[in-house]
């Protein structure tokens, strides 16, 4: 690394075996800096290691951690071209991947990172180009982890990609992010082409990537498909407030830039250039007016919103119990109920994160998440009022007890069943989509 690192980042860089680092007391700025310093360059190791970060804990230790520690850490990793792969393991092929986990035994939330490794050449990695990592030479890191969104869109045929583009990238923001991924892949292939033109052979990993993605022309066709869909979405006005504001900021920036170019051309008496720039400015101002006249659409609901709503309904009476129990010792039954409450809250967080789109950035996802939370809070509140009315009309027998107070009863069984199904769905999400796309491809060939 060009700059010296210290503190936790230095300890991470010095690791030769799998280690765990606790982020208690670290704020967002510190986490970003630590991840950047530690993982911006590949590790000089022969074997893969597991770097585990503790980003949160249960109720008793929750206050020690930044509320968005996990989100900040994973965002910093994505900026360094690390990919989320729930099936990643401690193997060299998984370098450049990470996954989030919940240790139910210790009640800890963790992010496990598998660092990128330097590819050693025959000379042991000293000096020549053979010692450099693909992450250093190319815009896109490889080898691609199978089943990840990047792998799926790049290995899919043009026909299969076109059929599934709307499903993979439903929002304008996701389509935009996906085009950036495709752009990085094109630049990577073009660098490999330039290398071949000079007579330099490609490594095994380079050849595997080159053959898998189908060349720059195929990737550009996919990118053009997305751009057409993005333009169609703008013309139809199917944009959220966040997306409209983003596009307005872009067009205003372009107009300001054109104004500067026009002033510079006028000073040099370049009349033809001024006329051309004025035409571009007129088009930009027309686009600005069109965007200002759009009515924002409601952000798409979260994928797991129905399950989250069920858990929130079950959670509400437990939150009331927590509020009423402050300042006094809890009974054994109440302690068990508080444990159930924490498990439900943790499962809600997991379901929310699992609802993130394949190519959805943090800002766009946060907008959807906040909209969903407001809607679900209102829904839970209306259900509570209706339940209260029923109780007044038909008082409950003193001997009967609601399901949620029974440790290990209906509520906990439902939560456990939901958690198992969620984990199964999360693990198979990428694979299922990939299988479906490949089935489409097979059917086309019949």
């Amino acid at each position: 690394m060009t700059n010296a690192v210290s503190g936790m980042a230095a300890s991470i860089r010095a690791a030769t075996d799998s280690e765990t680092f606790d982020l208690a007391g670290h704020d967002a700025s510190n986490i970003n800096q630590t991840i950047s310093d530690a993982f911006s360059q590949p590790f000089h190791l022969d074997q893969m290691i597991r770097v585990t970060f503790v980003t949160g804990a249960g109720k008793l230790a929750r206050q020690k951690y930044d509320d968005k520690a996990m989100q900040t850490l994973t965002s910093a990793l994505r900026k360094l071209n690390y990919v989320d792969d729930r099936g990643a393991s401690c193997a060299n092929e998984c370098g450049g991947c990470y996954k989030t986990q919940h240790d139910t035994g210790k009640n800890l939330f963790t992010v496990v990172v598998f660092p990128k490794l330097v590819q050693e050449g025959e000379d042991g990695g000293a000096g020549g180009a053979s010692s450099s990592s693909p992450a250093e030479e190319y815009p896109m890191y490889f080898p691609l982890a199978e089943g990840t969104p990047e792998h799926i869109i790049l290995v899919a045929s043009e026909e299969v990609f076109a059929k599934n583009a709307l499903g993979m990238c439903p929002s304008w923001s996701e389509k935009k992010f996906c085009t950036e991924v495709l752009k990085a892949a094109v630049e990577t292939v073009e660098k490999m082409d330039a290398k071949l033109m000079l007579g330099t052979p490609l490594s095994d990993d380079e050849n595997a990537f080159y053959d898998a993605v189908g060349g720059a022309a195929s990737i550009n066709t996919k990118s053009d498909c997305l751009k057409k869909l993005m333009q169609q979405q703008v013309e139809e006005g199917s944009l959220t407030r966040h997306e409209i504001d983003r596009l307005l900021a872009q067009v205003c920036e372009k107009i300001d830039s054109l104004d500067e170019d026009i002033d510079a051309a006028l000073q040099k008496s370049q009349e033809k250039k001024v006329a051309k720039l004025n035409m571009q400015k007129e088009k930009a101002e027309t686009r600005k007016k069109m965007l200002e006249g759009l009515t924002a659409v409601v952000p798409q609901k979260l994928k797991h919103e129905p399950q989250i709503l069920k858990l929130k309904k079950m959670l509400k009476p437990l939150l009331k119990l927590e509020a009423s129990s402050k300042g006094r010792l809890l009974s054994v039954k109440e302690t068990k109920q508080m444990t159930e409450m924490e498990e439900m809250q943790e499962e809600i967080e997991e379901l929310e994160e699992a609802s993130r789109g394949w190519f959805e950035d943090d800002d766009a996802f946060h907008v959807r998440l906040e909209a969903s939370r407001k809607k679900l809070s209102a829904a839970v509140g209306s259900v509570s009022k209706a339940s209260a009315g029923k109780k007044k009309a038909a008082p409950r027998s003193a001997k009967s007890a609601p399901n949620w107070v029974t440790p290990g009863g209906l509520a906990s069984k439902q939560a456990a069943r939901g958690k198992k199904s969620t984990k199964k769905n999360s693990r198979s999400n990428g694979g299922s989509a990939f299988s479906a796309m490949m089935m489409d491809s097979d059917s086309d060939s019949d």
Side-chain angles (χ1 to χ4, degrees), residues 369-426:
L369 185 57
E370 289 303 310
S372 175
R373 285 173 175 172
K374 287 181 181 178
K375 181 172 69 174
L376 294 182
S377 294
V380 172
S382 62
V383 169
S384 298
K385 289 179 182 178
S387 299
K390 289 179 181 179
K391 285 181 181 179
K392 288 179 181 178
R396 177 172 53 85
S397 170
K399 293 183 180 179
S400 64
N403 288 329
W404 57 266
V405 300
T406 307
L410 177 62
S412 60
K413 288 178 182 177
Q414 287 177 338
R417 191 180 299 118
K419 186 172 292 187
K420 288 179 182 177
S421 64
T422 301
K423 289 181 178 178
K424 288 180 181 177
N425 290 337
S426 299

Side-chain angles (χ1 to χ4, degrees), residues 211-268:
D211 293 340
V213 301
S218 175
I219 302 171
N220 280 323
T221 300
K222 296 173 184 178
S223 184
D224 291 340
C225 169
L226 280 180
K227 288 175 181 177
K228 287 179 182 178
L229 292 174
M230 289 168 66
Q231 181 61 32
Q232 180 181 341
Q233 202 161 354
V234 172
E235 291 172 354
E236 293 174 352
S238 300
L239 302 170
T240 63
R241 172 47 54 192
H242 171 73
E243 292 167 343
I244 293 174
D245 290 343
R246 178 178 174 180
L247 286 168
L248 278 172
Q250 290 178 356
V251 75
C252 287
E253 185 177 341
K254 184 175 183 180
I255 291 172
D256 291 341
S257 177
L258 287 169
D259 283 336
E260 292 177 3
D261 292 341
I262 290 171
D263 290 340
L266 284 172
Q267 291 176 5
K268 297 178 181 179

